[in-house]
Amino acid sequence: TIMEGMRLMHRALDQTYGQTLFRRDIPDFLRGHPSYQAAEASLEAFFVLSGRLFFVTEPYVLEASEISQLVNFLGQCIRAERGQL
C-alpha cells in the first residue's frame, strides 16, 4: 500500500541520515549528503505529503500527480544514492 511505501521511504532516508530524519533536519541532511541537493524540493514535498497521510485525521486520498511526484522522488533518491544526481 502507499502507506507502507511511505514508511519504507522514511526508513531508507533514516538509514542514509544515520538517525530519524525529520523535516526540520533536511538542511543538515543535505549538508551531510550533497548528492541529494538536487532533490531538495522533492524531499520537502515528500515530508509535506507524508504528514498529510500519517497525521491528518481525515483519510487522505492521493491524486495522480502526487503519486507521480512520489515515483519521481524515488528515482531521485536512487540516483542520489548512486551519486548520479
Side-chain angles (χ1 to χ4, degrees):
T1 67
I2 197 69
M3 297 293 279
E4 184 58 26
M6 295 291 281
R7 283 186 192 94
L8 289 171
M9 285 295 299
H10 275 286
R11 281 189 227 133
L13 290 166
D14 293 346
Q15 184 176 1
T16 297
Y17 189 45
Q19 60 188 347
T20 302
L21 178 63
F22 296 100
R23 187 174 179 198
R24 67 177 179 261
D25 300 321
I26 290 174
D28 185 52
F29 175 81
L30 294 174
R31 278 190 295 279
H33 300 86
S35 63
Y36 278 85
Q37 288 287 337
E40 180 176 5
S42 296
L43 184 57
E44 288 278 353
F46 171 75
F47 272 89
V48 169
L49 183 58
S50 70
R52 287 185 194 140
L53 287 170
F54 291 123
F55 301 112
V56 173
T57 56
E58 302 275 331
Y60 185 80
V61 179
L62 289 174
E63 296 179 14
S65 63
E66 292 170 317
I67 294 170
S68 178
Q69 288 174 334
L70 285 173
V71 171
N72 181 54
F73 176 59
L74 177 59
Q76 288 178 307
C77 290
I78 290 168
R79 289 187 300 278
E81 287 292 321
R82 292 179 180 166
Q84 297 173 346
L85 274 181

